[in-house]
Amino acid sequence: MDEWLDRPIPRETFTSDGRFSQQSPLRTLFASNPHKVTGPQWEAFEEAFGSDQTPGGPVWLLEPGETVKRKVLHDRYGGSRQGGISKCAKSANVLIFTDPKTGHQHGYFDEWAEDGTFHYTGEGQVGPQSFDSSGNAAIRDHVKSGLALRVFEGSRGTIRYVGEFAVDPAAPYSYDEAPETGGGPLRKVIRFHLVQVGSTAQPPAVPVGCGYRVADESVTPAAPQFGAPDPDLTGRNLKAHRGLQNALAEVAQARGLEILSPRVTDPDFDLAWRMTADDLTVCEVKSLTPANETRQLRAGVGQLLDYHDRLRERASSVRAVLWVEYEPADTRWIGLCERVGITLAWPGREDDVLG
């Protein structure tokens, strides 16, 4: 013996692992002859012996952008193979699945919000959602429980790991209304506000964007939080922001462009469009008033530089557009944006960004 394990590893760790489903050395584990194992089986042993000595269970091996079959994911880390929220018993993780292809039929509308958090709809397809659900409670209490939130795009078959997230400590969740499964009556749903933990950069093969989601211009502004408020989340600015965004999307769509909203794998841009399959334009929209003009322009430039950097390897050509409510009083912003590769434009100058 080279070393002793701090705690025993149950045989079920391997018998329940899909990598041992065919010929297995587990059948005659105590026989005198050595048994040949496959590469994946040896990897399973190394995972267990190297990491299962800690209370956290198997070490997390997936990197953002990697794909995995959901069955294999649960075989390795535990959790239920059904549903959108899966708390793992054999590892310190809560697995979260977001799937726009199937989620809408159950009233699950997951999306990036203006405040930069990803709004994830809680568990429960019929009736009002509550924290009596183990999945909803697991997300709410994941920090206190010492569990990592692992977000995946897709819900069945081959899924894609997006990265680790956490509930926003300032505003962990809110309530909204959404229809029951199959377009039933409206009911109360929980919307968790998730923020990225560390890097969730995606590899070049991950596609950018999904079909455009029209922004709700009748939405109630968010309640003010401690600290400097985001102008686009309060008062008239929220309605102005969404009106600007929808109006630009309508003009772009009328010109035959493919309009996109961000997926969970993308940075939280307002909208994007393609003129060709290889050309991507990413756009940040900013409402303006004389009192917040400079701050809004500064924020927009910083956001676009981040979006461009994160998307430049996922499209052959990426262009950045800052679309604002009116021509800035300080015209130096036009030249400043041009020098850093951003097109600054406003209503009436659609040809500058869509032509």
Side-chain angles (χ1 to χ4, degrees):
M1 295 291 183
D2 292 325
E3 60 181 297
W4 293 98
L5 300 179
D6 292 335
R7 61 190 179 98
I9 299 174
R11 189 169 187 267
E12 290 74 19
T13 300
F14 306 108
T15 57
S16 63
D17 193 317
R19 288 170 285 188
F20 292 91
S21 61
Q22 302 299 322
Q23 278 195 328
S24 171
L26 301 180
R27 294 178 189 166
T28 53
L29 194 60
F30 302 105
S32 58
N33 293 326
H35 298 275
K36 185 176 181 180
V37 297
T38 65
Q41 288 171 347
W42 183 252
E43 179 186 10
F45 285 131
E46 286 190 321
E47 290 170 13
F49 298 149
S51 64
D52 251 12
Q53 300 176 54
T54 66
V59 67
W60 190 261
L61 298 177
L62 290 173
E63 294 291 334
E66 291 184 356
T67 58
V68 63
K69 289 189 177 296
R70 182 160 178 176
K71 177 183 181 299
V72 174
L73 175 73
H74 292 297
D75 287 344
R76 180 174 297 176
Y77 297 107
S80 170
R81 299 179 185 180
Q82 304 295 325
I85 305 172
S86 183
K87 182 180 179 182
C88 300
K90 62 188 289 188
S91 67
N93 298 293
V94 179
L95 310 180
I96 299 176
F97 304 90
T98 177
D99 192 344
K101 295 180 181 177
T102 61
H104 291 182
Q105 62 183 300
H106 301 301
Y108 299 157
F109 297 92
D110 306 333
E111 61 185 356
W112 287 104
E114 282 94 343
D115 63 357
T117 62
F118 185 71
H119 284 195
Y120 179 79
T121 308
E123 189 174 64
Q125 299 178 5
V126 178
Q129 295 181 352
S130 73
F131 289 105
D132 291 337
S133 158
S134 60
N136 293 337
I139 294 180
R140 180 193 63 186
D141 302 332
H142 81 97
V143 174
K144 181 172 64 177
S145 303
L147 303 176
L149 297 184
R150 308 287 185 179
V151 175
F152 290 82
E153 187 176 52
S155 58
R156 63 185 64 179
T158 299
I159 55 179
R160 187 183 304 279
Y161 178 52
V162 178
E164 183 179 353
F165 284 65
V167 292
D168 183 357
Y173 59 88
S174 58
Y175 291 101
D176 203 348
E177 287 189 332
E180 292 185 346
T181 294
L186 291 177
R187 44 53 183 274
K188 182 177 72 173
V189 296
I190 300 169
R191 302 271 280 170
F192 290 102
H193 304 175
L194 306 182
V195 295
Q196 297 172 332
V197 175
S199 173
T200 57
Q202 305 294 311
V206 179
V208 177
C210 60
Y212 180 68
R213 297 183 293 269
V214 177
D216 181 6
E217 298 177 43
S218 64
V219 69
T220 302
Q225 303 289 333
F226 291 110
D230 183 340
D232 277 332
L233 299 180
T234 58
R236 54 84 58 191
N237 296 285
L238 178 59
K239 183 176 179 63
H241 177 276
R242 293 190 171 186
L244 279 168
Q245 177 180 320
N246 287 336
L248 181 59
E250 287 178 8
V251 174
Q253 193 168 27
R255 299 191 182 194
L257 302 180
E258 180 188 5
I259 315 304
L260 305 171
S261 285
R263 297 148 55 114
V264 66
T265 50
D266 302 323
D268 55 324
F269 52 78
D270 285 319
L271 73 159
W273 57 86
R274 292 186 185 277
M275 295 184 181
T276 67
D278 297 326
D279 176 82
L280 175 70
T281 298
V282 60
C283 178
E284 180 65 21
V285 176
K286 289 296 179 188
S287 61
L288 299 180
T289 67
N292 69 26
E293 180 178 294
T294 297
R295 178 182 170 191
Q296 286 287 79
L297 291 168
R298 285 174 179 167
V301 168
Q303 287 170 284
L304 282 167
L305 291 176
D306 176 47
Y307 301 161
H308 186 278
D309 186 65
R310 293 172 63 183
L311 293 173
R312 60 191 176 88
E313 293 186 356
R314 294 169 58 193
S316 299
S317 173
V318 181
R319 186 170 61 137
V321 169
L322 180 55
W323 186 254
V324 295
E325 198 167 353
Y326 54 78
E327 181 178 0
D330 187 348
T331 57
R332 75 182 180 88
W333 284 100
I334 300 174
L336 187 155
C337 287
E338 184 177 357
R339 289 194 297 275
V340 296
I342 295 173
T343 300
L344 176 62
W346 47 87
R349 300 189 62 172
E350 287 81 3
D351 289 344
D352 292 350
V353 297
L354 300 176

